[in-house]
Amino acid sequence: MPSAKFRAAAVHATPEYMNKAATTTKVLRLIEQAAQQSITLLVFPEVFIPGFPYFINCYPPLKQVDAIVQYRQQSVAVDGEEIAQIRSACRAFGVSISLGISERMSDGRSTLFNSQVFIDTDGTILGVHRKIQPTFAERYLWGQGDGWTLRTFDTKAGYKLGGLCCWEHTINGARQALIADNQHVHAAAWPSLSTLAGFEDVADTQIEALMKTHALTAQVFVICASNYVDESCLQWLRKNLGETDLVKAGGGWSAIIHPFCAYLAGPVTGEREELLTAEIDLSQLEGVKLWLDGAGHSSRPEILQFSVNRRPVWADEKEDKTSGWTLPAPVPNEDGGEKSQ
């Protein structure tokens, strides 16, 4: 059981909507800002690059074709320039991150994924989690991830880090896969759900319930990061798709939650950029696990049996990589050389 203490933060912020270059620059700024506050783990909202595609829920599908084309153009490959810059920043500042991206396959295929990229403090890509079941209208934008990326990743700090995206938290089997993989810290990525019509009064309650459920049933520290909708996002929607009253400004729900469901930070909502920060004391898991141990004595494997099909499905997933991912090229050193993985 890891015993380290460290500072973690949930990024409650909005991207530079539909602009991967500008949002990458913002990610670099937030990593540097985190380092200045002695934060060593930073969790970003769902598809922070290039922003959540709110238009999929607000306009008829045939009117979205051009918007989806633009969205694909603003999505990023794990071995692309944007992630290379971010990896270098993580190494330079000693910050690990869980970054939500709209991921495009790097081999020219058109398929996109709603993904979380996990990068360690030395710039190493620990792995990538692809959302296994896109929700509602997301299904015609993003492909389905598979069990190969449904796992935790071993960090240099000694704890196991994993995550899920948005309503993927309602899939109990997905959460159980992380529990069975002995997760210690959970990165939860969300959009601004409460800004959508019909969800104004229930979204934050839903997120809070799901986050506390996973904290307690998995006995993990949950770092929940959400974006909010700002005027630049609404302007983009109006310019490219027309007026809509189905999404509004504001929203987002971010917090850091102890395994026994106490708030360590937050929650915060609304249009305010903040690194929501708390100290994570992993030694406290020892006491929690005396009461409940979802990966141990509480699991009752002789009665309740669980399995995950981790066979890779997509062409860029390799079975011989223990991290669950084919690592891109090494991060360049300041002197022009390469840092080995």
Side-chain angles (χ1 to χ4, degrees), residues 83-123:
I83 300 301
Q85 292 179 55
I86 292 167
R87 292 175 66 194
S88 293
C90 287
R91 180 172 59 81
F93 292 106
V95 176
S96 58
I97 66 171
S98 169
L99 175 65
I101 64 169
S102 177
E103 179 198 353
R104 59 179 179 82
M105 299 181 78
S106 58
D107 57 4
R109 289 178 172 85
S110 61
T111 299
L112 303 178
F113 298 96
N114 182 332
S115 298
Q116 292 169 290
V117 183
F118 296 91
I119 303 175
D120 214 337
T121 52
D122 62 353

Side-chain angles (χ1 to χ4, degrees), residues 23 25 27 37 40 66-67 72 90 120 124 142 184 279 288 291 296 302 310 316 328:
T23 302
T25 299
V27 171
Q37 299 179 32
T40 57
D66 183 62
R72 182 179 186 275
C90 287
D120 214 337
T124 299
W142 289 308
H184 301 129
E279 181 180 78
V288 172
W291 296 91
E302 79 282 13
R310 289 204 168 97
D316 55 356

Side-chain angles (χ1 to χ4, degrees), residues 254-334:
S254 301
I256 300 179
I257 302 173
H258 185 275
F260 274 166
C261 294
Y263 284 113
L264 300 179
V268 297
T269 62
E271 294 181 80
R272 49 185 285 195
E273 182 174 306
E274 182 175 346
L275 295 185
L276 193 63
T277 307
E279 181 180 78
I280 305 295
D281 184 356
L282 294 171
S283 67
Q284 294 178 1
L285 292 177
E286 288 281 6
V288 172
K289 293 287 189 178
L290 290 176
W291 296 91
L292 301 165
D293 189 352
H297 63 259
S298 299
S299 64
R300 295 302 303 275
E302 79 282 13
I303 302 173
L304 304 171
Q305 298 177 12
F306 179 79
S307 65
V308 182
N309 179 4
R310 289 204 168 97
R311 179 179 61 86
V313 171
W314 298 96
D316 55 356
E317 297 167 338
K318 307 296 183 183
E319 286 192 87
D320 60 348
K321 294 291 185 181
T322 57
S323 68
W325 198 252
T326 303
L327 295 177
V331 179
N333 283 323
E334 288 82 354

Side-chain angles (χ1 to χ4, degrees), residues 11-49:
V11 176
H12 186 83
T14 188
E16 302 296 332
Y17 197 71
M18 290 291 282
N19 188 329
K20 63 183 178 182
T23 302
T24 297
T25 299
K26 184 167 189 173
V27 171
L28 300 179
R29 174 179 64 79
L30 290 169
I31 290 172
E32 181 176 5
Q33 181 180 336
Q36 292 170 350
Q37 299 179 32
S38 300
I39 295 165
T40 57
L41 174 60
L42 202 55
V43 175
F44 284 84
E46 187 174 23
V47 289
F48 195 69
I49 303 177

